[in-house]
Amino acid sequence: MFSLGLTGLLVRRNLVFVLMSLEVMLNAAGLAFVVAGARWHQADGQVMFLFILAMAAAEVAVALALVLEIYHRFKSLDIDELSEMRG
Amino acid sequence: MELAFYIAGGVAVLSTILMVTRPHVVHALLYLIVSLLGVAVVFYLLGASFVAALEVIVYAGAIMVLFIFVVMMLNLGAQAIEMEKRWLTLGIWVGPVVLACILIIEVLYMVRGSSTGLAPGGVEPKQVGIALFGPYLIGVELASMLLLAGLVGAYHLSYRKVEKREIQHDAHTHERRAAAGGDLVLAGADRPARTP
Amino acid sequence: MIRLLWLIPTLPFASALILALIGPRLSKRVAAALGAGSIGFSAAITILVAVGFMTSPPPGNSYTQLLWTWISVDGFRPQIGLYLDPLSLVMLLVVTFVGFLIHVYSAEFMIEDDDYSRFFAYMNLFVASMLVLLLGNNLVLLYLGWEGVGLCSYLLIGFWYRDPANGRAARKAFILTRVGDTAMSIGLFLLFTQLGTLGIQDLMQRASAQWPSGSTYAVAAAFLLLGGAVGKSAQLPLQVWLPDAMAGPTPVSALLHAATMVTAGVYLIARTHVLFSLAPSAQLAAAVVGACTLLLAGFSALVQHDIKRILAYSTVSQIGYMFLALGVGAWQAAMFHFVTHAFFKALLFLGSGVIINALDDEHSIFRMGGLRKELPVTFWTFLIAGCSLAGLPFVTGGFFSKDLIIWNAWSAQYGHPAFWIVGIIGALLTSLYTFRMIFRVFFGPLDIPVTKRPGYRMTIPLVVLAFFSIVGGFLREPLLGFLHSALPSTIEAHTGGLTEIRSGAIAGVIFLIGLYLAYLFHLKKRNWADALVSGPVGRSLHQWWFADWGFDWIYDKVFVQPFVWASEINKSDFIDAFYSGVAWLVRWFYQGLSHTETGRVRWYAAGMAAGSVLFLAVVLFK
């Protein structure tokens, strides 16, 4: 799933899709943690997943606010257009 | 038991693939939600019921809802779907797919040879709770601060937006705003179509 | 009294430093007072030291004053030490005294120049370096002074640096003396590695103890030191820089290139005379070099127009006499000639400075004339100096010293009749060119009117030096006796029919012949001189001797042009290509890598993904 998320991140140009793929990747990482915790019978896996969850929530909030800002400023959600930091 | 796991996993993977390939944003979002639910089932099957519940409530419930809100607000329209269709040529997929495949192979290589079979029972939610209040207490505090920061940041960014809206609206008449029903986003969204 | 020895080089050095740092802010009066005054004090202290030395000589007839250890490295410990013995004392007296007079002269001579304080700073630095050279008790300190005078020579020749010709002359002087200096430094290396010390007295003792006469090391070291001396003293084959050095102001020519710097080579050989005694072939070479130079320069002086160039070639020739004396083993005679030469040559240069100034920067003797009545003091002092140079019998100092050398060229340990003949011919030439100069400049019709007359600051030094040119000769016996402890006396090896009296008589007759010929050609019947020069033989000889026997031309073809050609073809500097190649490579990488900075997020993400894939691969499959 992580690879799928990565693929989605690299392929899609729409900013929203990029963020969604990012969520997929985070989720996949969390899945790996939980499975590992269950394998070794430790609570740490689930705890880690909790933190990832919290972080993902905060990140989504800020990211989506930014998406709105970008849309209203650049009138486009194409990630390739948003390349003002080029060398 | 194993069968349920494979089904749930398969659903998750399949819906993720579908999500990545959809041109329509909302479709993709819905597929994502399905994928998340599949993962939640997997969690439950592993014995981590607390985490499964969390996955559904927070991830699929709150975060995805946020996504949907924003997408609706953006009001992208048909031309956006057209653009997406145009962008998703076949050639674009090659590079990333290759990279991803190599990554998968490497990971599989890494986990080969480790023993299979999960011991039944899993980890109890009680154990997780004790861990959270014990060794991971500081993590919890930090996570709460992080959430606070996220909250303030999101609020600040959108507040600014309202300010700018006000200033940019100077040139426009009151009627226009009144006609839009006070909805600032709508008033701004149709701006490109009309020149002042 | 002797304890004040260290002040002698220090005062001029301090004065040079002060003038260099705040000179431009001082008034010309103060700058001159400082410049000339420091030398004056040095001279006064030298006299005090001399009196103390002579009345109560220190043990071993030498006094060493160690100031501090200069370098201390694994067995190599040269010190800043001052060594005073009769040889260095004599030279000190001459350098400080003549230096003082020249400084007073230049206080007026350079009065209109804007770089007044710079001039005195350089001159003082020069005198300080020269004094260090003379007083150094080890060869390293001597070399320091040697290099110092070389530097000051360069600075002073090119004093009017805005004219590039002066810069070229300065560079020429510096480069040629550098060739000699390199030979000398190799000689120092050889001496140190073989004998383990560079303290002069120690060195001489060890050399005479360890090296048999004629040993390869001694010969090699002596030849290398001779190379250095030849360079500094402008002898064959490195004599070409001295005539061009006349581009500097006249006081510079007087001080450096007549009285002091060019005699540094003579001093070096005299100091290391033990080494030369161990290497007879080197000594013979010195004599041959001296003999050839004195002839060559004499002929060149005979055909020059520029009054300063005549005097320059004359200097080269007279130092040739000194080298000849050293070469045949007449050490004290060489020093005696140095003393008298310093007086009359400095006087000649200063006089020529007065003339050039008076005639508004006219240098050619063929355009001068009749200055006898216009510049009487200058005329009489110049005449006295000229007679001393040519060797007017009995009255002038130059006669006694040159006569002694010519006699020793016959009779001394390595003397040979051939040397005697060369000396006699040289004397004839000297007389000829000197009186040619005098008759052309002071006699005959007045061609150019005199615009400026010298003030008292310029005439008093002239008079003083003239006095010493005469009196110096009578110092022969006391001087030779005084030097006895420092330099071995000349052994009269063979006389073969000639006595000193007879040799002196012949020299006197030669003087008169030269005088008469010069009178004839340059006063009485000047058209004869023109006829001589315009004839075919006369013209080619004239041109050849005028161009210094073609040495400049040879050096240009052999050394200068190939070097210039080599640097032309290496203009793009293939070694530099290595460094610029590195820069080019970096720039190429930069251009390549800047393409990756696209600003596109997907690019960066792809990069990250690829990178992590690679890392994992490396980790897994190592």
Side-chain angles (χ1 to χ4, degrees):
Chain A
M1 282 207 17
F2 184 83
S3 324
L4 287 172
L6 182 64
T7 312
L9 181 77
L10 293 174
V11 173
R12 305 305 300 248
R13 280 166 79 165
N14 193 338
L15 195 53
V16 179
F17 270 98
V18 169
L19 287 172
M20 287 199 291
S21 315
L22 210 53
E23 295 304 314
V24 168
M25 285 162 78
L26 283 170
N27 196 36
L31 176 62
F33 269 108
V34 173
V35 169
R39 163 86 179 81
W40 298 106
H41 277 293
Q42 286 174 339
D44 301 332
Q46 296 186 26
V47 168
M48 199 58 217
F49 180 78
L50 222 85
F51 291 142
I52 292 179
L53 204 57
M55 187 226 89
E59 174 244 327
V60 160
V62 176
L64 289 176
L66 281 174
V67 166
L68 282 175
E69 186 67 25
I70 286 173
Y71 183 70
H72 286 298
R73 192 189 290 261
F74 291 97
K75 299 290 172 278
S76 135
L77 285 176
D78 183 2
I79 220 174
D80 284 342
E81 295 289 322
L82 311 170
S83 57
E84 280 189 12
M85 280 178 68
R86 79 183 98 237
Chain B
M1 201 44 123
E2 299 243 341
L3 189 61
F5 169 77
Y6 282 119
I7 293 178
V11 165
V13 173
L14 189 62
S15 69
T16 310
I17 294 177
L18 284 172
M19 176 215 103
V20 173
T21 53
R22 294 301 100 198
H24 198 293
V25 187
V26 186
H27 294 179
L29 274 171
L30 295 173
Y31 275 118
L32 184 55
I33 293 178
V34 172
S35 157
L36 292 173
L37 290 175
V39 171
V41 171
V42 170
F43 281 156
Y44 181 78
L45 288 171
L46 284 175
S49 43
F50 175 58
V51 180
L54 269 179
E55 173 92 2
V56 175
I57 297 172
V58 176
Y59 228 126
I63 296 179
M64 282 303 121
V65 168
L66 259 181
F67 260 105
I68 294 180
F69 270 166
V70 170
V71 169
M72 297 302 187
M73 274 208 289
L74 286 177
N75 207 5
L76 289 172
Q79 76 223 75
I81 305 175
E82 280 307 313
M83 273 207 302
E84 294 282 344
K85 284 220 184 92
R86 260 188 296 120
W87 285 342
L88 281 179
T89 61
L90 202 57
I92 269 198
W93 287 96
V94 171
V97 167
V98 165
L99 266 180
C101 286
I102 298 177
L103 204 57
I104 294 174
I105 292 171
E106 281 181 353
V107 174
L108 287 176
Y109 184 78
M110 273 198 291
V111 300
R112 85 205 180 292
S114 49
S115 62
T116 51
L118 259 40
V123 185
E124 292 296 311
K126 192 168 165 193
Q127 242 181 307
V128 177
I130 293 174
L132 273 177
F133 274 98
Y136 287 103
L137 186 61
I138 191 167
V140 175
E141 299 301 325
L142 288 175
S144 68
M145 278 203 274
L146 179 66
L147 287 170
L148 179 67
L151 175 69
V152 171
Y155 173 74
H156 183 74
L157 285 170
S158 42
Y159 180 75
R160 261 252 219 104
K161 195 165 59 155
V162 173
E163 281 279 20
K164 253 193 348 194
R165 279 284 101 85
E166 294 284 88
I167 296 165
Q168 282 164 351
H169 268 218
D170 252 9
H172 295 265
T173 59
H174 277 287
E175 301 97 70
R176 202 158 174 275
R177 228 208 288 170
D183 188 333
L184 298 161
V185 178
L186 254 184
D190 65 20
R191 191 132 29 72
R194 259 191 249 163
T195 51
Chain C
M1 281 300 127
I2 287 189
R3 298 272 209 82
L4 297 172
L5 190 60
W6 66 277
L7 276 177
I8 298 178
T10 317
L11 284 175
F13 187 72
S15 158
L17 211 60
I18 295 175
L19 283 169
L21 291 173
I22 62 169
R25 278 187 256 159
L26 300 170
S27 76
K28 285 192 180 171
R29 215 173 249 278
V30 174
L34 196 58
S38 64
I39 312 291
F41 274 114
S42 257
I45 295 177
T46 312
I47 295 177
L48 285 175
V49 166
V51 165
F53 190 87
M54 286 193 265
T55 50
S56 53
N61 225 13
S62 70
Y63 170 70
T64 310
Q65 189 178 41
L66 294 175
L67 294 177
W68 71 88
T69 304
W70 184 9
I71 305 171
S72 177
V73 173
D74 192 28
F76 178 60
R77 325 180 104 243
Q79 293 148 321
I80 307 284
L82 305 177
Y83 178 76
L84 189 69
D85 72 345
L87 174 62
S88 52
L89 187 61
V90 164
M91 293 205 68
L92 271 183
L93 282 168
V94 170
V95 167
T96 49
F97 187 62
V98 174
F100 174 60
L101 289 173
I102 295 178
H103 274 75
V104 170
Y105 175 94
S106 46
E108 182 175 326
F109 188 81
M110 301 290 291
I111 194 81
E112 285 167 27
D113 203 306
D114 288 330
D115 294 320
Y116 200 64
S117 59
R118 182 163 70 101
F119 181 77
F120 277 105
Y122 289 160
M123 290 284 268
N124 279 359
L125 185 62
F126 165 78
V127 175
S129 308
M130 188 75 202
L131 292 171
V132 165
L133 193 159
L134 292 174
L135 284 171
N137 78 336
N138 57 68
L139 285 175
V140 185
L141 198 56
L142 189 146
Y143 194 64
L144 172 71
W146 191 271
E147 293 294 312
V149 298
L151 169 72
C152 293
S153 168
Y154 166 79
L155 289 172
L156 284 167
I157 294 174
F159 183 71
W160 292 313
Y161 57 85
R162 293 185 180 88
D163 182 355
N166 296 338
R168 275 199 297 273
R171 274 202 301 279
K172 184 172 176 183
F174 193 74
I175 292 173
L176 280 163
T177 50
R178 206 89 194 92
V179 172
D181 294 345
T182 314
M184 183 175 161
S185 54
I186 296 177
L188 291 187
F189 297 152
L190 180 65
L191 284 171
F192 182 68
T193 50
Q194 290 307 313
L195 295 175
T197 177
L198 282 176
I200 297 182
Q201 302 309 313
D202 282 339
L203 201 61
M204 296 300 119
Q205 273 174 352
R206 290 190 201 184
S208 52
Q210 290 179 13
W211 290 343
S213 173
S215 83
T216 341
Y217 287 130
V219 170
F223 263 106
L224 287 168
L225 289 180
L226 180 64
V230 159
K232 191 65 92 185
S233 298
Q235 300 294 289
L236 231 66
L238 297 172
Q239 87 281 13
V240 291
W241 66 268
L242 193 54
D244 286 343
M246 297 299 115
T250 309
V252 170
S253 310
L255 187 57
L256 274 74
H257 307 127
T260 44
M261 189 183 97
V262 290
T263 53
V266 177
Y267 172 74
L268 176 67
I269 297 179
R271 255 281 172 255
T272 55
H273 63 90
V274 172
L275 191 64
F276 278 88
S277 313
L278 291 173
S281 42
Q283 225 180 333
L284 185 64
V288 169
V289 162
C292 293
T293 312
L294 74 89
L295 272 187
L296 194 143
F299 279 117
S300 298
L302 201 51
V303 298
Q304 297 294 325
H305 300 307
D306 186 339
I307 189 173
K308 283 178 74 173
R309 277 180 91 93
I310 298 177
L311 293 173
Y313 280 110
S314 169
T315 307
V316 173
S317 178
Q318 296 303 307
I319 298 177
Y321 270 103
M322 296 182 215
F323 267 66
L324 175 62
L326 291 170
V328 301
W331 313 101
Q332 292 160 340
M335 296 316 298
F336 183 34
H337 196 54
F338 155 72
V339 171
T340 54
H341 176 262
F343 290 132
F344 60 68
K345 196 43 75 60
L347 175 53
L348 282 171
F349 268 109
L350 294 183
S352 71
V354 169
I355 295 168
I356 292 172
N357 235 11
L359 296 181
D360 211 11
D361 215 33
E362 175 60 62
H363 282 241
S364 164
I365 61 170
F366 289 105
R367 284 198 278 269
M368 302 178 192
L371 293 175
R372 194 171 34 141
K373 298 282 171 32
E374 300 290 327
L375 300 169
V377 176
T378 315
F379 168 62
W380 283 107
T381 53
F382 203 89
L383 186 63
I384 292 174
C387 290
S388 194
L389 171 61
L392 179 63
F394 301 118
V395 182
T396 57
F399 167 72
F400 286 109
S401 59
K402 202 189 317 178
D403 181 57
L404 188 59
I405 293 180
I406 295 177
W407 163 241
N408 280 320
W410 175 282
S411 68
Q413 193 176 16
Y414 296 110
H416 194 276
F419 287 140
W420 182 87
I421 293 178
V422 165
I424 290 290
I425 297 178
L428 176 63
L429 285 172
T430 310
S431 176
L432 260 176
Y433 66 65
T434 310
F435 285 106
R436 166 180 178 259
M437 184 170 54
I438 292 179
F439 284 132
R440 283 283 177 183
V441 170
F442 291 104
F443 289 80
L446 184 68
D447 283 335
I448 303 181
V450 171
T451 45
K452 270 195 293 196
R453 284 166 207 282
Y456 69 93
R457 277 178 293 183
M458 278 163 77
T459 43
I460 292 186
L462 292 179
V463 171
V464 173
L465 284 172
F467 173 72
F468 276 101
S469 299
I470 300 178
V471 161
F474 302 123
L475 288 174
R476 178 182 141 159
E477 288 314 315
L479 190 70
L480 297 186
F482 185 57
L483 284 172
H484 178 71
S485 53
L487 294 171
S489 8
T490 320
I491 310 166
E492 282 210 7
H494 36 86
T495 44
L498 196 65
T499 62
E500 192 171 345
I501 308 282
R502 286 212 201 120
S503 166
I506 295 177
V509 166
I510 293 288
F511 167 82
L512 289 169
I513 294 178
L515 173 60
Y516 180 67
L517 282 174
Y519 172 73
L520 205 59
F521 279 91
H522 294 284
L523 190 60
K524 212 54 187 310
K525 301 206 190 299
R526 285 193 176 170
N527 46 328
W528 284 15
D530 299 329
L532 200 65
V533 168
S534 43
V537 172
R539 184 145 23 114
S540 49
L541 273 180
H542 181 96
Q543 277 175 351
W544 189 34
W545 290 343
F546 189 78
D548 194 13
W549 294 59
F551 267 92
D552 267 330
W553 182 86
I554 294 176
Y555 286 146
D556 189 47
K557 286 275 173 299
V558 172
F559 292 112
V560 176
Q561 290 197 351
F563 185 75
V564 170
W565 172 82
S567 30
E568 279 287 326
I569 62 171
N570 196 29
K571 232 197 259 199
S572 52
D573 202 0
F574 67 94
I575 291 192
D576 206 33
F578 174 68
Y579 297 107
S580 51
V582 169
W584 175 85
L585 197 69
V586 170
R587 212 174 299 125
W588 183 74
F589 267 114
Y590 155 73
Q591 273 164 356
L593 284 174
S594 62
H595 282 301
T596 60
E597 213 176 328
T598 51
R600 296 199 204 150
V601 177
R602 294 195 302 149
W603 243 111
Y604 295 161
M608 279 194 266
S612 44
V613 162
L614 237 86
F615 269 135
L616 279 177
V618 166
V619 166
L620 285 183
F621 303 116
K622 206 157 58 80

